[in-house]
Amino acid sequence: RALLPELASAERPVPSLLLGRMRLGVTSGRGTVIDRDVRFDREWDLLRYVPRALVVAILAPWPGQQLGPNGATGVRWLASAESVLIAGLRIPFAVGVVHVAGRPSAWPVLLFVGTSALLLGLVMPNLGTLVRLRLEFLTPALVFAGIGLARLRT
C-alpha cells in the first residue's frame, strides 16, 4: 500500500503535490494555522504562493494575530514583538545583502537564508512551529542586517 497513493502511480513525483501533502499534514493541529485553505494542486498554485510564503516565514505572526480565540498569552506577545523587530530590520538586511552580494563567499549563506525561508513558508503553516523553526535562517540573516546597520550609520 502506497503512503501517497496519488504519487505512487506517477512516474515522477510532482513537487507541488509533495509540498502540498507536507503542508496538509501540519494543518491538522489545534494551534494557530496560517492560510489553512491553501492547497498546491498544480505547480502554478505553488508558484503563486511563493511571495506569500516568504512574507509568512519572515514576518509572521502579525501584531494583531495574538488576539485570536486562545487569548493573548505572554509567548504570543513576545512573538509579535519579535516580528515587529524583524520587520524593522528589513532595510538594514537589504543594505547588508547589497553590500556583500559581490562577494562570492557570501553567496552560500544568502542561498541558505533564501531557500530556508522559502521552504519553511511553503510547508509550515503552524504558527508556533514556524516561529521556532525560522531561527535557522534568521540567525545568519541578522548578520547581514548588522552589516547593513553599520553601512547605514556611516
Side-chain angles (χ1 to χ4, degrees):
R1 182 177 138 160
L3 182 62
L4 301 173
E6 302 91 22
L7 301 176
S9 63
E11 292 178 22
R12 177 179 60 89
V14 180
S16 61
L17 289 176
L18 288 171
L19 289 173
R21 193 52 85 109
M22 284 186 239
R23 183 178 177 82
L24 183 64
V26 182
T27 60
S28 59
R30 286 184 25 213
T32 305
V33 176
I34 298 172
D35 298 337
R36 183 183 299 268
D37 58 336
V38 170
R39 294 180 48 97
F40 303 137
D41 295 325
R42 296 178 307 277
E43 282 79 8
W44 181 245
D45 297 334
L46 182 69
L47 289 174
R48 198 172 40 206
Y49 192 72
V50 163
R52 171 81 174 159
L54 287 170
V55 169
V56 165
I58 296 168
L59 297 177
W62 294 271
Q65 243 175 343
Q66 79 270 9
L67 301 175
N70 297 335
T73 64
V75 174
R76 286 184 179 203
W77 282 104
L78 286 174
S80 291
E82 173 191 332
S83 294
V84 169
L85 288 172
I86 292 168
L89 290 173
R90 288 179 300 175
I91 291 174
F93 172 75
V95 170
V97 167
V98 168
H99 181 69
V100 301
R103 298 181 186 160
S105 61
W107 296 349
V109 180
L110 289 171
L111 182 64
F112 172 78
V113 169
T115 304
S116 298
L118 177 62
L119 291 176
L120 190 59
L122 286 173
V123 300
M124 185 49 61
N126 183 292
L127 184 59
T129 306
L130 175 71
V131 168
R132 288 186 294 274
L133 290 178
R134 74 175 170 192
L135 288 175
E136 292 179 13
F137 70 84
L138 275 183
T139 304
L142 289 175
V143 171
F144 294 115
I147 293 169
L149 282 172
R151 297 292 296 175
L152 289 170
R153 288 183 57 191
T154 59

